[in-house]
Amino acid sequence: MVRVITYGTFDLLHYGHIRLLERAKALGDYLIVGVTGDDFDKTRGKINVQQSLMERVEAVRATGLADEIIIEEYEGQKIDDIRRYHIDIFTVGSDWKGKFDYLNAYCKVIYLDRTEGISSSEIRSQRREIRLGLTGMPEDLLKFQRESSFVNGVTISGICTEELTEELPEVFRTLPCITDSYEELLKYSDALYILSHPSRHYEEVKTALEAGKHVLCEAPVALSAQQCKELFALAREKKCVLMEGIKTAYSTAYYRLLLLAKSGQIGKIVSVDATCTRLEDGRGNSPEQTNRSWNSLCDWGPTAMLPVFQLLGTDCREKQIISHLSEQDPFYDVFTRIHFIYPEAAASVKVGKGAKAEGDLIISGTKGYIYVPAPWWKTDYFEIRYENPAENKRYFYQLDGEGIRYEIVAFLKSIERGRSNSYVEEEVSQAIAGVIEDFYKRKDTREI
Ligand code: CTP
């Protein structure tokens, strides 16, 4: 029996894929198809894959051509697979010619002619482009703009700013819409990315949703739990997507550690401790600047609270917010520390723009702990540590663009599918807004 193997992403399965599978099958008696896993695709730079792994596997299965389907998850797996499945022939399309010659040491390698005129990328690029409007301080929006250029299916349509066109960073000067009117920006956009001051989020998100526009709003979406709830309800009513932007949620390493922690790898979780700090570059010094500048809790709080609420849940029994406030602005916290008490766990977060600390994340469990070194919010690496160091495990993942480009992909997918693909649950957004609300109301809060 001649055993054949082939690999591919098989996104939006098309005629070219089917022809390849037919010919691969005809090379032998038994065909194994390796479908690339989502994470592996990301590391190969294919961040725009439309369908989930499950959908792609199902599509390949439905062709009836594969005798067996496996998932390709890591670099170097092909050699393992060829040995493990006793493969005689490895085959792929001619676009890979020469790339897999090294596998000749293990089996026969055959490149099949690629079908002309069709590819997944082309089908993806035929989708209607989403016109995305930006609002916020132009220099803060640069990173987002750059990251959006890595994602197919989205174009920046305009920017809402009080700055004069000639003062704008170069990339923004040629946008179709440069305006100081938010309503004007909405006319040019199908969706909005909001990075304005948190005090404006609620109104801006509401106005956009009422106009039927999708919204990706940098956290916090609102400054009270009630307002946050209201906005998500409005989004549902208007059949629009509302996503809270916390880029860390989209980092592969973070997402993986959540799954590992939840699957009991460190036993029962008893404590989550997260610290995020960045010393301000002078923006927070004068009173009128502090008004424009995000305080420590709004800037870092959502990121720091994310693992707490995602791992321990949102109904903590008690909390205490301890803030050191700026002398010029009673709502600008130079640093804040929050303690959360759960029935059987505790958590603490430390955030600061006027104080520095080790920005790591530690998740403690009854069997071991997960350690994510600073800066944990944009990490590609973490460790699971046990009493016996010989059992420690290290995990590495590729992280491009601090998670922002994956966040944009998730936002577009949500729009296209008409259902949320957000990695930040609605109740987590609400819990975050609730803590920030308590800080402003001085509930459970002590000033120092
Ligand atoms: N393939 C082919 N003819 C095409 C497209 C793909 O023979 N017109 C083959 C590829 O050479 C590969 C397999 O189908 O062996 C899976 O390809 P994949 O990369 O999943 O599909 P593409 O359409 O090439 O995807 P993309 O545009 O994202 O690169």
Side-chain angles (χ1 to χ4, degrees), residues 81-376:
D81 289 343
I82 290 169
R83 286 190 177 138
R84 189 179 314 141
Y85 297 105
H86 309 290
I87 297 300
D88 303 293
I89 300 174
F90 167 92
T91 185
V92 276
S94 51
D95 43 326
W96 296 98
K97 201 156 191 137
K99 183 93 197 300
F100 295 109
D101 288 356
Y102 70 94
L103 294 175
N104 272 309
Y106 307 92
C107 68
K108 194 170 171 185
V109 175
I110 299 178
Y111 298 103
L112 293 169
D113 284 342
R114 192 180 157 91
T115 307
E116 292 302 316
I118 189 159
S119 76
S120 303
S121 315
E122 208 179 300
I123 302 176
R124 284 193 292 263
S125 67
Q126 281 162 2
R127 288 176 297 151
R128 195 171 74 86
E129 292 269 317
I130 298 287
R131 297 170 306 147
L132 189 62
L134 309 177
T135 176
M137 304 261 282
E139 63 270 32
D140 296 344
L141 288 163
L142 279 172
K143 201 190 271 178
F144 186 88
Q145 185 279 332
R146 195 174 52 242
E147 286 302 307
S148 73
S149 66
F150 291 99
V151 182
N152 280 331
V154 64
T155 32
I156 305 294
S157 59
I159 185 168
C160 176
T161 171
E162 277 146 31
E163 277 177 38
L164 298 169
T165 306
E166 48 280 14
E167 284 167 10
L168 287 177
E170 187 100 28
V171 284
F172 295 135
R173 286 186 217 157
T174 50
L175 290 177
C177 170
I178 300 171
T179 177
D180 58 1
S181 151
Y182 186 61
E183 276 67 24
E184 186 67 13
L185 179 71
L186 290 179
K187 285 188 206 152
Y188 280 79
S189 315
D190 307 306
L192 269 293
Y193 171 62
I194 298 177
L195 182 59
S196 51
H197 191 270
S199 58
R200 293 160 67 161
H201 287 183
Y202 171 74
E203 282 305 329
E204 288 182 350
V205 173
K206 194 171 166 192
T207 311
L209 291 173
E210 276 168 349
K213 312 292 177 185
H214 306 286
V215 179
L216 171 59
C217 179
E218 205 54 41
V221 161
L223 298 182
S224 84
Q226 181 50 37
Q227 287 187 338
C228 181
K229 197 171 167 184
E230 198 187 298
L231 292 175
F232 278 103
L234 179 62
R236 267 190 295 276
E237 185 196 317
K238 294 284 180 185
K239 297 197 170 34
C240 287
V241 172
L242 169 59
M243 242 174 76
E244 174 159 51
I246 306 181
K247 62 180 189 293
T248 304
Y250 298 86
S251 113
T252 314
Y254 174 77
Y255 190 68
R256 279 297 151 125
L257 80 79
L258 271 194
L259 295 180
L260 285 172
K262 284 182 181 174
S263 66
Q265 294 277 318
I266 53 167
K268 200 166 143 0
I269 300 168
V270 296
S271 165
V272 177
D273 300 277
T275 303
C276 303
T277 67
R278 185 201 305 116
L279 283 179
E280 270 295 79
D281 47 10
R283 264 210 281 161
N285 287 343
S286 75
E288 78 276 9
Q289 277 171 332
T290 53
N291 279 338
R292 283 173 76 193
S293 172
W294 297 43
N295 63 21
S296 302
L297 190 58
C298 285
D299 205 342
W300 282 118
T303 304
M305 287 186 261
L306 187 70
V308 175
F309 292 138
Q310 288 193 318
L311 286 165
L312 299 177
T314 52
D315 36 62
C316 77
R317 215 165 45 186
E318 259 177 69
K319 72 170 181 311
Q320 187 181 30
I321 305 171
I322 306 157
S323 283
H324 178 54
L325 304 170
S326 146
E327 278 164 20
Q328 294 101 339
D329 180 349
F331 292 109
Y332 189 94
D333 55 328
V334 175
F335 74 81
T336 288
R337 190 178 179 128
I338 311 174
H339 294 284
F340 297 92
I341 303 170
Y342 287 80
E344 291 179 43
S348 74
V349 309
K350 234 186 298 173
V351 293
K353 294 176 79 174
K356 194 75 197 144
E358 180 73 10
D360 55 9
L361 168 67
I362 300 170
I363 302 162
S364 315
T366 49
K367 291 188 186 150
Y369 69 98
I370 296 177
Y371 175 69
V372 195
W376 71 265

Side-chain angles (χ1 to χ4, degrees), residues 16-51:
H17 293 141
I18 296 172
R19 280 206 59 217
L20 180 110
L21 294 176
E22 281 169 351
R23 286 172 294 156
K25 173 95 176 172
L27 290 173
D29 310 296
Y30 191 84
L31 176 66
I32 301 181
V33 180
V35 179
T36 47
D38 292 333
D39 287 341
F40 189 52
D41 267 325
K42 273 189 198 170
T43 60
R44 297 189 314 152
K46 279 205 178 190
I47 62 162
N48 253 352
V49 173
Q50 277 297 292
Q51 294 182 297

